[in-house]
Amino acid sequence: MSALSYKKFEDSDSGALPDKMTIFQDCLQAFNATPVNAKKCRLLLSRLMRLLYSGETFPSQEATTLFFSISKLFQHKSSSLRQMIYLAIKELATISDDVLMVTSSIMKDIQNGDLIFKPNSIRTLSRVLDGSTVHATERIFKNCIVDRNPNVSSAALISSYHLIPVAKDVVKRWTNETQEAVFAQKYFPSNQFNNSSNSSYQDLYTSTPSSTFFTQYHALGLLYILRSHDKMALMKMIQSLSGVNSPLKNSMAIVQLIKYITKIVHDSNDPHLANTLFPKLSNFLKHRSDMVGLEASKAILSSSLFTNEQHATAISTLQDLLSIPRTVTRFAAVRILNRVAMKNPEKVVVCNVELENLISDSNRSIATYAITTLLKTGSAETVDRLIKTISSFMNDISDEFKIVVIDAIKNLSLKFPDKYKSMLVFLSDVLRDDGGFPFKSAVVEALFDMIHFIPESRDSALENLCEFIEDCEFTELAVRILHLLGQEGPKTKNPTLYIRHIYNRVVLENSIVRSAAVSALAKFGLIDDPTIRTSIEILLNRCLCDVDDEVRDRATLALKLLKSKKNTSDSSNIIVSEFIRPSKLYSFPILEQKLALYISKGAFELPFDTSSIPQLSEDEIKAAEYQSKTSVTSTEPTRPTKSNRDSTINHSPANGSNEKNKFSEKDLLQQKYSQEIASIEEFSSHGPLLHSSSIIELTEKETEFVVLCVKHLFKDYLVLQFNVENTLPSIILKMVSVVSIPSNDYYEEDFILPIETLAPEAKGTIYVSFKRPVDEEGFDIIAESFSNTLSFTTHEVDPSTGEVSEEDEGFQDEYQIEDLDLIAGDFIIPSFVGNFSNIWDELSKENENVATFSLNSYNSTDGIQGVIDKLIENLSMMAIEGTRTFENSSNSHLLKLYGKCINGERIAGVIKLASNSKDGVIAKAIIRADSFKLSEVVLNSVA
Amino acid sequence: MADFSLYSINAILILDNEGKRLFAKYYTPIHSTEPAPFPTLKSQLAFESSLFSKTYKLKSDIILFENQVVVYKEISDIIIYIIGNIDENEACLYQVLIGLRDALDVVLRHAIDKKSVQENYDFVCLAIDETCDDGIILETEGSVIASRVSTRPSAETPSLRNIELSEKGVSKLMSFLF
């Protein structure tokens, strides 16, 4: 019988979809007929399936009618028809009622049915059962799981798996059978491929395996769920399955096993366990099947518990996979490498040659992954060439890919500021290309970053933006660019150029853009040049007749302010300038938080207090932004899902809020400290809080008393804040204080605020205030070391009453805690500077201090990068010009640091780091500052 | 962290060369209460048409699309898609795709095209059912999948015995119900 003759059985089956009602009627008629015509029924069922798989559905009542009539077909023995019946039942079970009625027919088939449809009947059974009927089938399931036929066993395992959500307790009783199935190697019966019912395919088979061992995959998946709460059992399972003589023959089962190993390592967070399990994973790296190698590499690279060398073996496996002809394998390998490069670009550098070959890959996703990875791993020398390569294919790729590339370029521009020229050319080229809003927005964003952080690029980048707004269809972007022009334009050498561009907007655009343009124009009016001011006034006057009231209002206000500036004294001049062009901005996250709080309180008779919100200068904002943009962790997107539209759109705001959170977290902490301190009367005379250090642990975390310390600096005072936690359950501490003795006696103790009573398992805060010393030249940045002792009286708590007995006078005791160093970093606030060499030259050589250190005391296992991180933390200065990340290509590094002292003086440092195996890391530090003494103090705290 | 369940396939689709559905099955674990990712026909069709526009004639086998891994093969005038979770092992999914293709090649007698799929729909949906059971991969070896697909019943003369049996079956069935 051939397909052709079958087709002619009734009218042709091809072409348009059969009519739903016709099929419904035909089915009812044929299924209820006696005798049943198997051939016709299978055809009708096939049409019914076609309807369902095309998205048609039946209302519950009709579906139930159909379901019932299909169940009548069980009377016919034809196994070909039976298989189709099971498929129909499976599909209709979700939309019909009373599906339980076919249970007995199915059970009968499972017990006595033909092998060809027995697995189908088992799989269908799980659709018609519910939580209350599962237990009746327990014996059947157990028998089927241990059946020697892999099809039957797999079907039973899968059915059990489906039933877990409704009957976990019942399925749990099949654990032993499942375990047996994991280890068993089941072979297909000899007649699997020449079964009577499908012998017609026989000549079409090219190869017929004796087994694919897929049962192991299903059994392992089920066993894991059943045992997932028993860690010991899982470990045992992994041990017995992952050896060299592993009984697992199925690649998918091994992939699954690797996933479980990853999970165990991840959950334990134990490097030792990772180390013991590593050999098992590394065995799989060389597995003949790609999927196993990929999964094992992914597993190793996804956890930082594995060592760098272990990561390297996984990378080399991926490197081999990069040149495999199978597209999917290359894709998977480059995707993993891309993810690694987000965090640790230096690890992927070895694959650069292979990655470059992939740039021309016919699969665009692979090419994009390759390029973004290369952009991360590339060194300063390769950047130009890379950008050239990318420009050549930018036109061929979709917007989503372009955004990924642009983001990578943006990060690169911050990393290699001196390559700004080629990147600027690239960005201005792509800005001219056609593209949607997300794409244009990404380009503009990248240009904004360059303007902010690479001062040399400012003028030409601004010009590019001016050109762009001449023909920009996106109001939002035009407004943002106009605002930026207002901010940056007046600082340039030739501001009139921008005025022309801005005024063009007033003439040509919609009211929103016009108002933004008016505000931008007003900022140019502040330039100290009468001709510019006059022309600005003329332009603003023209805006007074605008049709839109917002535009008119802004113009009127700006004019009024500019006029009043001319006439009055200096002090009001500053007010006016502040109004048009504020030098400080509110910290938005805090402002938002406070406003939300204010509204939720509902106490509107009190005006909102803006003074409690910290204001940030432009420099401070830039510093924070730069920090978050260059720091390695925050640039990593949560998921490298590059090629789809949704996630790229979601991706950028998510990342933005991440940065914002980080920024505000630090801010909020500082805010919290100053509020806490302001609320204490004794500190009212100390003035505003200038700087607070990060939290330092003075004890181990597991001791009886846990002490943390924060150093606060005021203009004339130093306050040490000790947070003490009493971890003892039955001891009350009274009069808890810290005796801090400065080792050089520079600092003079002012007063101590002790904790009166510290209840068991409670926390309290002690403040110790010192007067800051000043030497004969009025210099007050003086480092010091404090030795600290916790002193208190202990009182036993009566366990029956929970209180201290009256006669207990307590026991005076002391507790030694670690010393505390006050170092230069505590006086320094990290800040950003666009042009480091300018600042470097400004700070005269006279105030320079130079020394060479051996930094073995840092004892860092991470080599130079570890030292860099510690230096930045200790000195509390900001790494400039992308010198924060160390490139593995050499064994030396140049670190450029900048910061501001709390007294306003500037400090810049250049630290050359070199490492060799014998001496560890050597540093030559050159520090310049506004005063010699400051640079000396800073230099001394390098080591 | 990756997903540890065996539910690794979210959907299997077969579209024609205009992006129209020939076969579409979106899987949701049977007894689970989680909402389906594409609950309505409308959202499914929208997904399919945008997926089609991103893949048709590109022949690049794999794409990340709307937070899912999609592997696909274009064979004459149809495209077969296998859609999995974003963290799914790409090579595993591809193995499934190849297995299904090989199986279809056998059951459709080396003629995988739109016409043949429509005319032999029972073979196609049985083959897919033997490849993936509600999201769980059943088998990836094409010849094994094909061997599980039954051929059509031959024309036959009905016998009365069958009917008698069926009466028994129905009455048994009733007794189970009530």
Side-chain angles (χ1 to χ4, degrees), chain A residues 1 3 6-7 13-15 34-35 38-39 42 46 49-50 53-55 68 75-80 83-84 87 90-91 100-101 103-105 108 115-116 119-120 123 126-127 129 151 158 161-163 165-166 188 192-193 197-198 200-201 204-205 207-209 212 214 217-218 221-222 224 252 255-256 259-260 262-263 266 291 294-295 298 326-328 331-332 335 363 365 369 400 639-641 643-644, chain B residues 1-8 21-25 29-32 41 44 54 58 60-69 71 86-96 98 105-107 109-110 115 118-123 125-126 129-130 132-134 136-144 146-156 158-159 161-163 165-166 169-170 172-174 176-177:
Chain A
M1 187 197 72
Y6 183 67
K7 191 187 79 185
D13 230 20
S14 54
T34 31
K39 202 170 166 186
R42 174 147 155 162
S46 142
M49 296 324 292
R50 199 169 153 207
Y53 288 138
S54 305
F68 190 74
Q75 60 183 291
H76 200 285
K77 295 192 298 194
S78 161
S79 51
S80 306
Q83 203 175 24
M84 208 60 200
L87 189 56
K90 254 176 80 176
E91 294 302 331
L100 271 170
M101 67 183 175
T103 313
S104 67
S105 305
K108 214 172 101 203
L115 255 186
I116 184 78
N120 303 66
R123 286 195 283 126
S126 66
R127 268 60 168 195
L129 292 177
N151 301 318
I158 290 176
Y161 196 89
H162 286 316
L163 287 169
V166 287
F188 293 120
Q192 168 104 14
F193 299 97
S197 62
N198 55 9
S200 54
Y201 302 138
L204 294 164
Y205 292 133
S207 67
T208 49
T212 53
F214 238 93
Y217 170 67
H218 303 131
L222 181 60
Y224 177 78
M252 295 236 185
V255 166
Q256 208 63 22
K259 286 188 186 170
Y260 301 149
T262 320
K263 170 124 173 79
H266 182 83
M291 64 174 96
L294 284 169
E295 195 65 40
K298 203 200 276 179
R326 195 181 254 205
T327 317
V328 172
F331 178 90
R335 187 172 162 211
N363 183 319
S365 316
Y369 272 131
E400 293 85 6
R639 278 182 162 178
T641 53
S643 55
N644 78 64
Chain B
M1 226 44 237
D3 189 7
F4 299 99
S5 79
L6 291 184
Y7 295 112
S8 42
R21 250 183 201 195
L22 291 172
F23 177 98
K25 178 74 188 157
I30 309 161
H31 293 287
S32 111
L41 179 64
Q44 293 179 357
K54 293 238 177 273
L58 277 179
S60 50
D61 291 355
I62 185 163
I63 183 174
L64 293 191
F65 185 72
E66 297 197 0
N67 245 332
Q68 310 189 76
V69 179
V71 292
I86 189 78
D87 293 320
E88 207 47 60
N89 187 314
E90 297 89 344
C92 286
L93 291 177
Y94 191 69
Q95 194 79 43
V96 179
I98 294 303
D105 200 46
V106 173
V107 299
R109 284 148 208 276
H110 302 315
K115 192 156 175 268
Q118 282 171 334
E119 284 172 359
N120 302 289
Y121 209 75
D122 48 346
F123 290 150
C125 52
L126 284 175
D129 184 56
E130 293 295 337
C132 171
D133 183 272
D134 267 302
I136 300 181
I137 300 166
L138 257 178
E139 178 57 71
T140 58
E141 176 59 47
S143 56
V144 178
S147 75
R148 296 273 318 123
V149 177
S150 62
T151 48
R152 293 179 179 128
S154 49
E156 62 190 294
S159 86
R161 251 183 57 207
N162 284 340
I163 303 160
L165 261 175
S166 85
V170 173
K172 224 178 169 184
L173 193 149
M174 289 307 184
F176 179 81
L177 267 178

Side-chain angles (χ1 to χ4, degrees), chain A residues 664-675:
Chain A
S664 66
E665 210 173 274
K666 205 180 130 202
D667 249 23
L668 284 172
L669 205 60
Q670 188 89 24
Q671 177 78 5
K672 198 182 120 219
Y673 290 144
S674 49
Q675 268 177 4

Side-chain angles (χ1 to χ4, degrees), chain A residues 12-39:
Chain A
S12 164
D13 230 20
S14 54
L17 244 140
D19 176 63
K20 184 166 132 185
M21 277 332 284
T22 318
I23 293 287
F24 180 70
Q25 292 300 339
D26 287 356
C27 282
L28 287 191
Q29 212 173 21
F31 300 164
N32 287 318
T34 31
V36 168
N37 182 336
K39 202 170 166 186

Side-chain angles (χ1 to χ4, degrees), chain A residues 623 627 691 824-832 836 840 843 868-880 884 895-901 905-911 926-929 934-935 938-939 941-942:
Chain A
Q627 182 101 50
H691 187 224
D826 294 325
F827 298 90
I828 299 173
I829 301 160
S831 57
F832 175 78
F836 185 79
W840 186 251
L843 297 168
I868 294 172
D869 291 343
K870 280 199 177 163
L871 277 173
I872 291 172
E873 196 191 317
N874 277 2
L875 295 177
S876 174
M877 288 164 80
M878 181 170 288
I880 306 292
R884 187 197 174 98
L895 180 65
K896 296 177 182 175
L897 294 168
Y898 184 69
K900 275 188 179 157
C901 183
E905 290 183 35
R906 297 166 298 174
I907 309 136
V910 172
I911 302 178
I926 313 167
I927 308 284
R928 288 184 184 180
L934 182 58
S935 73
V938 173
L939 186 76
S941 46
V942 167

Side-chain angles (χ1 to χ4, degrees), chain A residues 396-590:
Chain A
D396 307 342
I397 59 176
S398 65
D399 268 18
E400 293 85 6
F401 284 162
K402 286 183 187 168
I403 292 171
V404 177
V405 173
I406 303 259
D407 280 346
I409 296 267
K410 181 172 81 177
N411 293 332
L412 205 62
S413 68
L414 298 180
K415 201 169 150 201
F416 303 113
D418 29 319
K419 297 285 172 196
Y420 77 91
K421 267 190 194 136
S422 51
M423 292 188 221
L424 204 58
V425 170
F426 173 79
L427 287 176
S428 61
D429 280 351
V430 293
L431 196 55
R432 272 182 224 119
D433 291 349
D434 291 333
F437 176 74
F439 163 63
K440 295 276 175 179
S441 172
V443 182
V444 169
E445 199 73 47
L447 283 169
F448 274 28
D449 274 5
M450 291 186 77
I451 292 170
H452 280 140
F453 302 114
I454 310 167
E456 301 91 331
S457 72
R458 185 178 62 194
D459 289 18
S460 37
L462 282 179
E463 259 169 62
N464 280 321
L465 288 174
C466 282
E467 221 171 90
F468 175 62
I469 53 170
E470 289 290 333
D471 186 24
C472 169
E473 53 188 312
F474 307 109
T475 302
E476 192 188 312
L477 284 182
V479 169
R480 289 185 59 190
I481 292 171
L482 283 169
H483 176 76
L484 183 86
L485 286 176
Q487 290 287 324
E488 302 289 333
K491 297 182 202 159
T492 56
K493 280 193 208 103
N494 193 3
T496 45
L497 179 76
Y498 306 110
I499 295 177
R500 182 174 62 84
H501 282 287
I502 296 171
Y503 189 69
N504 278 349
R505 297 303 97 210
V506 177
V507 182
L508 296 166
E509 292 282 356
N510 64 39
S511 60
I512 301 171
V513 179
R514 288 203 305 274
S515 351
V518 167
S519 301
L521 279 180
K523 287 175 187 147
F524 284 86
L526 293 177
I527 299 174
D528 206 14
D529 178 342
T531 54
I532 294 181
R533 205 171 332 158
T534 327
S535 39
I536 290 288
E537 273 170 23
I538 293 168
L539 291 176
L540 286 176
N541 265 316
R542 285 188 199 162
C543 300
L544 291 176
C545 308
D546 197 281
V547 286
D548 188 82
D549 55 346
E550 174 74 21
V551 181
R552 287 197 305 271
D553 288 355
R554 288 196 189 192
T556 316
L557 182 65
L559 274 174
K560 188 85 189 156
L561 287 167
L562 287 176
K563 284 215 176 88
S564 68
K565 183 183 171 188
K566 257 194 295 193
N567 304 332
T568 49
S569 63
D570 278 0
S571 68
S572 70
N573 263 351
I574 295 170
I575 297 172
V576 168
S577 314
E578 274 295 302
F579 204 86
I580 296 180
R581 193 175 182 288
S583 63
K584 291 199 164 201
L585 288 172
Y586 288 114
S587 155
F588 287 125
I590 297 175

